[in-house]
Amino acid sequence: MNKFETKHWTSDTVAADLEHAIHEHRLPPGTKLGEDELAEAYGISRTIVRAALLALSHRRLVELKRNRGAFVAQPTVRDAREVFEARALLEPRTAHSAAERMTDEDLSLLRSNIASEHEALDAGENGRALFLSGQFHVEIARIADQTTVQGFISELISRSSLIIALYWRRRAALCETQAHHALLDAFANRDGALAEQLMKSHLLDLVASLDLRNVTQPPTSLREALKR
Amino acid sequence: MNKFETKHWTSDTVAADLEHAIHEHRLPPGTKLGEDELAEAYGISRTIVRAALLALSHRRLVELKRNRGAFVAQPTVRDAREVFEARALLEPRTAHSAAERMTDEDLSLLRSNIASEHEALDAGENGRALFLSGQFHVEIARIADQTTVQGFISELISRSSLIIALYWRRRAALCETQAHHALLDAFANRDGALAEQLMKSHLLDLVASLDLRNVTQPPTSLREALKR
DNA sequence: GCACGCAGGATTGTATACGAACTTGAGTTC
DNA sequence: GAACTCAAGTTCGTATACAATCCTGCGTGC
């Protein structure tokens, strides 16, 4: 409990910290996020915690159930499809723009991102690797200089992390970094069309690596399953 | 002050009511949204008002300035470009999907929407007409059965309303309904490719009807203009 | 013995009180 | 007379208190 006592938390920083934890699967889908619990952990009052949870619920990372509390969201199969369809609409064209605006600093930033991801994987820190791999995508949107689209993509990628937690099938481990390397090459050559194409197939590969058969809905809890 | 006293307001309904008012230009960009003022108007406490303002700030319809208060957002020229670029990424393909899933009920719903818009225009209720014309776009996303994308589009369209308030140039009044009529025909024929194309040019027309030369930044207030 | 009801405990929803920051305008000084 | 200082007033930021709702487990009645 060192970092919690020292820092001056605001609703924004708390929300970011929680989102980070969710993204890294330290807070798996369905986890109850009690207000008192969080307030004590961060050393703040429930007011700030509520604002943070509200923010996360707007990004659909947290589900607020009235008089029941806040829970880390559990995307349905349908949600999963929608998230990746939205990403397919936004990311390829954004990668295209990014390739054309790419500076050398941007390139080295992306390169170091991939390097960190490798480190994390080698150290067995899968959550951290997943987070970094998401950051790679957000960084591309930043480079494309589209803050609005960047916000959407950032939300979609955090949600993707939840989807991966629920629907990832074991096979095919690190095809991820391969695709990112290929994208980096396209960026280095400022080849927008290629980057767009690579991003498109990267996203398709991602969806293909999920198990989205409707039968395997997350069991979560009986009461929820039998709600109606 | 009749509707305010009777209804049982929640943060969601308050936020929706404010968003509606912003969308209809009853609350123009830059309007100060004092917490006490709103709390009294709706007959609730500041707690609910704050939650509503927080929600609107997440949708970038309201700008929260620390220790200063909440103001209806004033999108910059850059924001305006970004919003319409994002719409260009999302809406044409969404219209394509919508055309393919269109039911007869959906069609009549869209038709009645256009009719209401005409009524509003004839009655001189420009704000209401603008709101309805936005609803037309959101409805398309709903028909495409993409709730995630629908959320994004809904946000973008509300922001577009602010942009129109700031940057609309007088000429070319109601080309709007014309484009919507053409879209409706494409939908009626379940012609996805045509709907996609029409939506694309509709959005281009919209941008073209704006005055986005950087020189004419909104003057808002002197103190803001001279901030640095 | 099973099911229903009810009460106690826990958790969230809302309101309010208090403290902090900013704005504003008058007063003072140079 | 102009500019600076400071204090009063206003508005937001945070914490806390109380009310409402829900969950849980025990008791009672059939």
Side-chain angles (χ1 to χ4, degrees), chain A residues 22-140:
Chain A
I22 291 172
H23 200 152
E24 287 192 345
H25 292 181
R26 297 200 308 272
L27 291 173
T31 306
K32 167 100 192 252
L33 301 171
E35 295 184 359
D36 280 321
E37 206 175 349
L38 291 172
E40 196 178 6
Y42 286 102
I44 52 181
S45 86
R46 278 178 48 215
T47 307
I48 313 290
V49 172
R50 280 182 75 82
L53 292 175
L54 206 55
L56 291 175
S57 82
H58 292 138
R59 308 194 89 206
R60 295 181 188 271
L61 295 178
V62 156
E63 196 177 344
L64 295 180
K65 303 186 183 179
R66 185 173 175 89
N67 290 317
R68 298 278 312 280
F71 303 82
V72 178
Q74 305 187 82
T76 63
V77 168
R78 194 198 145 144
D79 292 331
R81 290 192 206 281
E82 284 195 356
V83 165
F84 279 96
E85 284 179 38
R87 290 184 63 175
L89 290 183
L90 293 172
E91 295 203 56
R93 297 268 297 268
T94 301
H96 192 125
S97 306
E100 291 170 349
R101 309 182 114 266
M102 187 77 46
T103 68
D104 290 343
E105 297 94 76
D106 293 333
L107 269 177
S108 64
L109 220 153
L110 288 177
R111 246 188 283 271
S112 74
N113 176 294
I114 293 184
S116 305
E117 195 183 333
H118 275 229
E119 280 176 32
L121 276 177
D122 290 346
E125 299 170 341
N126 287 354
R128 191 170 134 75
L130 181 61
F131 174 75
L132 287 167
S133 122
Q135 285 311 106
F136 187 85
H137 288 251
V138 177
E139 197 61 25
I140 290 171

Side-chain angles (χ1 to χ4, degrees), chain B residues 189-219:
Chain B
N189 293 327
R190 271 72 174 174
D191 188 338
L194 180 60
E196 181 173 344
Q197 191 54 46
L198 286 172
M199 181 62 86
K200 198 179 288 186
S201 43
H202 176 34
L203 291 173
L204 287 176
D205 286 349
L206 268 176
V207 177
S209 74
L210 299 176
D211 186 358
L212 296 182
R213 292 166 302 185
N214 298 29
V215 267
T216 346
Q217 270 301 69

Side-chain angles (χ1 to χ4, degrees), chain B residues 178-194:
Chain B
Q178 208 62 18
H180 287 191
H181 268 123
L183 271 165
L184 193 65
D185 286 342
F187 288 143
N189 293 327
R190 271 72 174 174
D191 188 338
L194 180 60

Side-chain angles (χ1 to χ4, degrees), chain A residues 186-197:
Chain A
F187 288 143
N189 294 327
R190 273 72 175 176
D191 189 337
L194 180 59
E196 180 172 344
Q197 192 53 48

Side-chain angles (χ1 to χ4, degrees), chain A residues 58 82 85 145-148, chain B residues 58 82 85 146-148:
Chain A
H58 292 138
E82 284 195 356
E85 284 179 38
D145 203 35
Q146 293 281 340
T147 52
T148 297
Chain B
H58 292 139
E82 284 196 358
E85 285 179 36
Q146 294 281 339
T147 52
T148 298

Side-chain angles (χ1 to χ4, degrees), chain A residues 166-187:
Chain A
L166 290 172
Y167 302 112
W168 182 257
R169 48 162 100 126
R170 298 288 160 263
R171 26 186 142 162
L174 54 144
C175 51
E176 274 280 301
T177 54
Q178 208 61 20
H180 287 191
H181 269 122
L183 270 166
L184 193 64
D185 286 342
F187 288 143

